[in-house]
Amino acid sequence: MNLRKLHLDDKTHSERHDYPEGLFVTDGEVHLIVDGKPVRMSAGGMYIVPPGAPHSVRSGPEGTVVSFE
């Protein structure tokens, strides 16, 4: 398992993986787009991105995410 702590800014980029990716918001608020659908998360929220789903993450206005895959 890989863990990454991401300090987000307003930049976004879309990615997709052939495995699930978990996202856990440690502080702030995060705007996630998964398969074209918006998901808003705040501190304590978790989301599992399904394999193959295009997704991007943007903080709003600040946010920190731990990614695990």
Side-chain angles (χ1 to χ4, degrees):
M1 177 185 294
N2 291 326
L3 291 174
R4 292 181 295 156
K5 187 173 185 178
L6 310 170
H7 299 281
L8 302 172
D9 55 22
D10 286 334
K11 297 176 183 174
T12 63
H13 70 279
S14 184
E15 59 184 21
R16 125 183 11 221
H17 314 283
D18 57 356
Y19 49 83
E21 179 180 17
L23 302 169
F24 178 75
V25 181
T26 59
D27 64 74
E29 186 173 281
V30 170
H31 301 274
L32 179 64
I33 303 292
V34 179
D35 239 353
K37 299 176 184 141
V39 178
R40 178 185 264 174
M41 300 180 355
S42 57
M46 186 173 79
Y47 190 91
I48 305 297
V49 179
H55 58 283
S56 61
V57 181
R58 181 177 61 84
S59 67
E62 297 178 1
T64 304
V65 172
V66 173
S67 166
F68 52 97
E69 43 193 52

